[in-house]
């Protein structure tokens, strides 16, 4: 039954979202790796005392990669549910979703290089 009350409805929505995030981290190896990298660069941020601006970019990059990887996982799960056997069009869709993760990860790596290269080599 749908809860139409504003506060309790938002709390239920948050609860579902939190459960989904936990399931994603607990079951998907790519998210486990990316979340671990996010933790490591967060530790590096504290160690190197990065600026507020650098924290903003780093946080956005971590969030972007994890979010798009979550969407990619959802696309893959839906595609596998709809058509469990290999199908060329399903493969194409899954490749496009994986490509979106690639772009996000590439941008995150660039942000990481911009932030941490000077701290190691300058």
């Amino acid at each position: 039954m749908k809860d139409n009350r504003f506060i309790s409805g938002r709390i239920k929505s948050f609860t579902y979202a939190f459960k989904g995030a936990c399931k994603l981290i607990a079951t998907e190896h790519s998210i486990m790796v990316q979340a671990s990298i996010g933790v490591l660069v967060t530790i590096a941020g504290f160690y190197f005392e990065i600026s507020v601006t650098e924290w903003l970019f780093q946080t956005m990059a971590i969030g972007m990669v994890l979010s798009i990887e979550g969407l990619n996982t959802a696309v893959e799960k839906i595609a596998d549910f709809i058509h469990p056997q290999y199908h060329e069009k399903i493969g194409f869709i899954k490749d496009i979703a994986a490509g979106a993760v690639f772009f996000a990860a590439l941008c995150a790596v660039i942000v990481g290089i911009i932030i941490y290269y000077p701290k190691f080599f300058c």
Side-chain angles (χ1 to χ4, degrees):
M1 182 170 158
K2 186 172 178 164
D3 188 347
N4 291 324
R5 292 172 293 181
F6 183 77
I7 299 295
S8 59
R10 298 305 60 81
I11 291 170
K12 283 183 180 180
S13 293
F14 177 82
T15 303
Y16 294 138
F18 185 76
K19 284 181 185 178
C22 291
K23 286 178 185 178
L24 195 58
I25 290 172
T27 62
E28 296 301 317
H29 294 293
S30 57
I31 287 283
M32 290 176 199
V33 169
Q34 292 160 345
S36 298
I37 292 168
V39 168
L40 290 175
V41 296
T42 300
I43 292 167
F46 285 114
Y47 179 78
F48 289 108
E49 298 177 351
I50 63 177
S51 71
V52 171
T53 304
E54 291 169 328
W55 274 115
L56 290 172
F57 279 102
Q58 178 171 294
T59 302
M60 290 300 293
I62 293 168
M64 179 177 60
V65 170
L66 294 176
S67 298
I68 295 176
E69 182 63 54
L71 291 172
N72 176 53
T73 299
V75 167
E76 288 183 356
K77 299 286 185 194
I78 290 168
D80 290 342
F81 178 77
I82 291 170
H83 205 290
Q85 297 79 26
Y86 175 78
H87 190 278
E88 187 176 330
K89 288 183 180 180
I90 294 290
F92 182 78
I93 291 166
K94 290 167 100 175
D95 288 346
I96 289 171
V101 176
F102 173 78
F103 286 132
L106 183 62
C107 288
V109 167
I110 292 168
V111 167
I113 290 169
I114 291 168
I115 292 171
Y116 292 105
Y117 182 85
K119 295 176 183 357
F120 281 102
F121 301 108
C122 294

